[in-house]
Amino acid sequence: MENTTIMESSNESTIFTWTCDPRSQSSSAADLLRMINASGIGMQVQMYFPIALVVVMVIIFIEEVIFHVKNSLHWKRTVYTIWVLGVYPVLSLLSLLGIFIPRASAVIDFAAGFYYSIALKKFFMLILHLYGGKQQMENALKGDRIVSANPFPCCFVCCCHNQPMSLRRINILQWLVYQVVIIAPAGYFIQTVISSEGLLQDPATARAAGFGLTVVGWMITCSSFVCLYGFRVLSWASKYSLQQYHIRSKFSPIQLVVAFKTIQSFIVGVMLRFNGLSCGFPYPDRQIDFLLHNYLFIYELFILALISWFTFRRLEEGCEVMIRPLPSEIYSVNTENMTEAINLGEQNGGMTYDDQDSNVYEKVEIKSDLTYCEDKAIETV
């Protein structure tokens, strides 16, 4: 993993060194730019292309803001949507700063974690606003058992499987998401303090500081996994009730942002710990895991921003929350309507559809389903 590149500026006598030695100091922004410009066209394209992606994301965000403001039906919903869509340009811009100003990595992580956690909270508030509040959400979902068994990637969760929605469970889901607003910024703040005090460079405190950073990193990772589980459950629950709002296609990019920021950062950190990262991409530095994660994160955010550009660019006029019927409402059969439907089917050569009485058609379908279930039960016995 050791790799050192030495370059000398033609204007100054100072020698700038690229190295992945953990005991060295990261390059300053001015030194980094001089190194990039002296490295040839390949390095320049590699380092400057993410800038173009960030500019495109900012332009897309501005267009999205104009679109949603012009077509706003509910101002609060519009504000929540803008907060959520701002995740892509804000996080990509901060990741870009992290690449070109590696010495400010701790502060940049704190700023990114703060906005990221606030945006996740705003997205949950957007979902509640679509339902009309917690009580309306409970009424819409109480007819279905909404918690799927082991939703990926939270396959380790073994509680609350296939439980009906209630106001208490809505509050639990809310705090599963909201806890990241407290834990993530607090964790990044602690990391900022440890890094800015130079505790990792001091041999007397390096071991304790490294252990502290590891504990804080695990805390942030677990917090993000809990938040991701809450979003997975909420997405699964809302796929029927909010299908007119195309809510599944809106959930997916946000969940992927959480996954990339959490899982990818964790994997890259583990690879660095076991010497699985080669020094040199995007450029040699002691914080190669931070640089690699942010470099890849910009490309991932660009793809997710394009997906969100299409999924959120839909007019919501006329969209309604679809109420999931209770089991008693699904299987209640009116005997009189059923008899009438059977007689009508015999008169029409076996057809059971009547344009003048859709209620009869629905009851025949329910009868058919019940008969099928009864037959399957008999076969099982």
Side-chain angles (χ1 to χ4, degrees), residues 99-156:
I99 294 175
F100 285 93
I101 315 176
R103 291 184 181 180
S105 60
V107 178
I108 290 171
D109 264 345
F110 172 73
F114 183 79
Y115 186 93
Y116 151 83
S117 58
I118 294 296
L120 294 180
K121 177 185 176 182
K122 295 295 182 182
F123 187 68
F124 190 93
M125 295 172 71
L126 172 63
I127 302 303
L128 284 181
H129 197 275
L130 292 177
Y131 277 107
K134 293 182 182 179
Q135 189 62 53
Q136 289 79 0
M137 182 178 179
E138 179 190 14
N139 294 335
L141 300 177
K142 63 183 179 181
D144 188 28
R145 297 182 181 274
I146 53 87
V147 181
S148 61
N150 298 325
F152 178 83
C154 305
C155 303
F156 54 85

Side-chain angles (χ1 to χ4, degrees), residues 72-81 121-137 170 174 178 234 238 242 245 247 316 319-321:
S72 176
L73 298 177
H74 305 278
W75 182 244
K76 270 191 175 182
R77 191 178 301 175
T78 302
V79 172
Y80 296 152
T81 302
K121 177 185 176 182
K122 295 295 182 182
F123 187 68
F124 190 93
M125 295 172 71
L126 172 63
I127 302 303
L128 284 181
H129 197 275
L130 292 177
Y131 277 107
K134 293 182 182 179
Q135 189 62 53
Q136 289 79 0
M137 182 178 179
I170 293 175
Q174 184 178 15
Y178 283 14
L234 191 61
S238 303
L242 299 180
Y245 294 95
I247 199 63
E316 297 180 351
C319 295
E320 296 179 352
V321 177

Side-chain angles (χ1 to χ4, degrees), residues 11 14 46 239 299 323 325:
N11 299 327
T14 306
Q46 174 182 303
K239 66 178 182 178
Y299 286 86
I323 306 299

Side-chain angles (χ1 to χ4, degrees), residues 22-275:
R23 296 167 296 180
S24 64
Q25 188 178 27
S26 295
S27 305
S28 66
D31 293 344
L32 179 60
L33 290 176
R34 281 192 286 269
M35 294 179 196
I36 293 173
N37 293 330
S39 298
I41 188 65
M43 186 64 172
Q44 293 173 14
V45 171
Q46 174 182 303
M47 293 301 298
Y48 293 144
F49 186 71
I51 298 178
L53 298 183
V54 173
V55 171
V56 172
M57 277 187 272
V58 172
I59 294 174
I60 290 176
F61 176 68
I62 294 173
E63 192 276 337
E64 287 172 331
V65 171
I66 296 174
F67 173 82
H68 285 285
V69 170
K70 281 185 177 180
N71 299 280
S72 176
L73 298 177
H74 305 278
W75 182 244
K76 270 191 175 182
R77 191 178 301 175
T78 302
V79 172
Y80 296 152
T81 302
I82 292 174
W83 267 97
V84 173
L85 293 175
V87 163
Y88 309 107
V90 171
L91 293 188
S92 61
L93 180 60
L94 290 172
S95 295
L96 187 66
L97 292 176
I99 294 175
F100 285 93
I101 315 176
R103 291 184 181 180
S105 60
V107 178
I108 290 171
D109 264 345
F110 172 73
F114 183 79
Y115 186 93
Y116 151 83
S117 58
I118 294 296
L120 294 180
K121 177 185 176 182
K122 295 295 182 182
F123 187 68
F124 190 93
M125 295 172 71
L126 172 63
I127 302 303
L128 284 181
H129 197 275
L130 292 177
Y131 277 107
K134 293 182 182 179
Q135 189 62 53
Q136 289 79 0
M137 182 178 179
E138 179 190 14
N139 294 335
L141 300 177
K142 63 183 179 181
D144 188 28
R145 297 182 181 274
I146 53 87
V147 181
S148 61
N150 298 325
F152 178 83
C154 305
C155 303
F156 54 85
V157 180
C158 57
C159 58
C160 299
H161 290 170
N162 300 320
Q163 299 295 321
M165 182 57 75
S166 64
L167 194 59
R168 175 176 171 270
R169 291 193 174 93
I170 293 175
N171 290 328
I172 292 176
L173 285 178
Q174 184 178 15
W175 283 107
L176 287 179
V177 175
Y178 283 14
Q179 52 82 28
V180 78
V181 180
I182 301 173
I183 295 178
Y188 286 120
F189 177 77
I190 294 173
Q191 290 181 339
T192 302
V193 172
I194 294 177
S195 300
S196 60
E197 289 296 321
L199 299 178
L200 291 173
Q201 282 71 37
D202 188 351
T205 59
R207 186 173 182 179
F211 177 77
L213 286 178
T214 302
V215 172
V216 173
W218 275 98
M219 181 181 67
I220 296 174
T221 301
C222 292
S223 174
S224 296
F225 263 110
V226 171
C227 177
L228 185 59
Y229 175 74
F231 273 126
R232 286 289 295 159
V233 173
L234 191 61
S235 172
W236 184 270
S238 303
K239 66 178 182 178
Y240 173 82
S241 299
L242 299 180
Q243 60 179 302
Q244 293 188 13
Y245 294 95
H246 305 278
I247 199 63
R248 292 299 296 276
S249 59
K250 295 178 180 178
F251 258 111
S252 298
I254 298 300
Q255 293 178 79
L256 287 175
V257 169
V258 179
F260 284 137
K261 182 169 177 57
T262 305
I263 300 176
Q264 178 176 276
S265 178
F266 174 76
I267 292 175
V268 171
V270 171
M271 291 176 63
L272 178 67
R273 186 69 178 267
F274 293 96
N275 297 324

